[in-house]
Amino acid sequence: MDQSSTRLLPPETPRDFGFFLDGAYVPAGDREVFLRNSPGHGTPVTRIPKCTTEDLDATVAAARAAFEDRRWSGLSGADRAAVLLKTADILEARTDEIAYWETLENGKPISQSRGEVGGCVSIFRYAAGVARTLHGDSFNNLGDKMFGLVTREPIGVVGLITPWNFPFLILCERVPFILASGCTMVTKPSEVTSATTLILGEILKEAGLPDGCYNVVTGSGSTIGQALTEHMDVDMLSFTGSTAVGRSCLQAAGSNFKKLGLELGGKNPQIVFADSDLEDAADGVAFGIGFNTGQCCVSGARLIVEASIADTFSEMVAAKLKNARVGDPLDEATQIGAITTDAQNDTILGYIAKGREEGAKVVTGGAALDIGQGQYIAPTVFSNVTPDMAIARDEIFGPVLTVMPFETLDEAITIANDTIYGLAASVWTKNIDKALTVTRRVRAGRFWVNTTLSGGPELPIGGFKQSGWGREAGVYGVEEYTQIKSVHIELGKRDPWVE
Ligand code: NAD
């Protein structure tokens, strides 16, 4: 069904999901369940099992068995690529359905959800290529008697923990690379957005992924997430979420010294010079904070703008945000949807109140929006912001932009780097010297010049400073899920140690 031509409604009754173990769904049975309400409609949409630690152990055991008998890692890159390509085709065919459940649980606009599924299709296709090109190295410079090889091997069983802001996109920025490397996995989605992670299970199975290679355990972070992080039979954990929980993962992963990949928070600068194309820059800055209701780790939440244009430019951004269509996520016309969780809604409104109390001035927005159902917040711009204010320092994870002016390029760089985070940054200027100087000196893992929040699977993702460890996506990302082995091969007769 082409849902883009039909008016979509939430389901009349919530859909029941089982968790995914060894190639099959396991219904909740007598386990407790999470009942998820659509943040855009306030009505129940899904029911997901609260798995027990025995369930977790079963999923890890399935992933371990699948890894050890080499049913996946023993295949050629070409055979693994074929499964990833087939997955992409099925995802493409089921785009509308996946987007629908994503929007219902997350609150993001349906058109955006469809776009994200399209992005996931592209990532699976890219990762298929990586599966075939992943390789080690050789050393032919060790003298005639020694030949060296560096082989690349999958790390083993990977635990994957994902957040609620891009449940399917973040999953698909990792799963195809984990599988391309030959690893098997157990993933734990956020308890409020598990549906699409579970749907991927049946899609991978249909595409030919052997049972046990992809398992999904559902439950809360403090119970199942923590237990997965501590698990003695998991070789690597890829965690995407808040810096606070990332820090607790550091401790928990010490259980068996599992390798850690951490993709954490950000408070990302948008540096705008007076010589930029101001119309483009205003649109980009508005997009950078409005997209996904600002619930993006890479949202451009700090506008650092040349003082000579600060007031005019802030008004331009405010005008753009006022024109953005906030509303029912299932409406095709909506550009900004609902705030995903009640707790996040309270957090954002709390920061807006704090910004006012601390003396910042609201240029636009600054309040909840009553759309009749669900929870919505007007995109908000604050001026008169000083570096010590909470709204300037903390990751708000909502549609709240702070404006800070600068006089010189050095000052812009200093303000941009004045944060514990280093996830992403954008710079807007038509001057190549300024663009490259800022790009080289601002400490962030992902940079945009005269654009923002764009890219594809070729370029890796990850943070500097307290925004994380390691990289996901691209060739660099797949290598994270491998370990290397040095092989020394002696040629010819050995020089004896004992005569
Ligand atoms: P969160 O840290 O609360 O939760 C993330 C995941 O961790 C969820 O699945 C949760 O159930 C689980 N979890 C919670 N407590 C845990 C524990 N003690 N042990 C193990 N797992 C636990 O984050 P969130 O609120 O879902 O997402 C928002 C945060 O994620 C923001 O800080 C955002 O910047 C960050 N994020 C980062 C990236 C990135 O790529 N850097 C991408 C998206 C989101």
Side-chain angles (χ1 to χ4, degrees), residues 160-166 170 173-174 188-193 219-230 237 239-246 248-249 252 262-268 295-298 341 344 395 397 421 423 446 461-463 467-468 472:
L160 175 63
I161 297 181
T162 54
W164 46 253
N165 59 338
F166 291 95
I170 287 177
E173 284 172 340
R174 286 135 183 80
K188 195 216 78 72
S190 166
E191 49 274 40
V192 294
T193 53
S220 77
S222 55
T223 55
I224 294 301
Q226 178 81 21
L228 178 59
T229 310
E230 288 169 357
L237 181 86
F239 171 83
T240 304
S242 60
T243 292
V245 177
S248 78
C249 289
L262 299 172
E263 301 281 331
L264 309 174
K267 185 73 174 175
N268 311 294
Q295 297 176 125
C296 302
C297 51
V298 288
T341 67
Q344 190 57 27
E395 181 188 47
F397 221 55
Y421 298 109
L423 194 58
R446 216 165 161 194
I461 302 166
S467 290
E472 302 282 357

Side-chain angles (χ1 to χ4, degrees), residues 268-280:
N268 311 294
Q270 288 273 6
I271 303 169
V272 178
F273 287 90
D275 64 10
S276 61
D277 179 325
L278 293 185
E279 185 57 35
D280 276 4

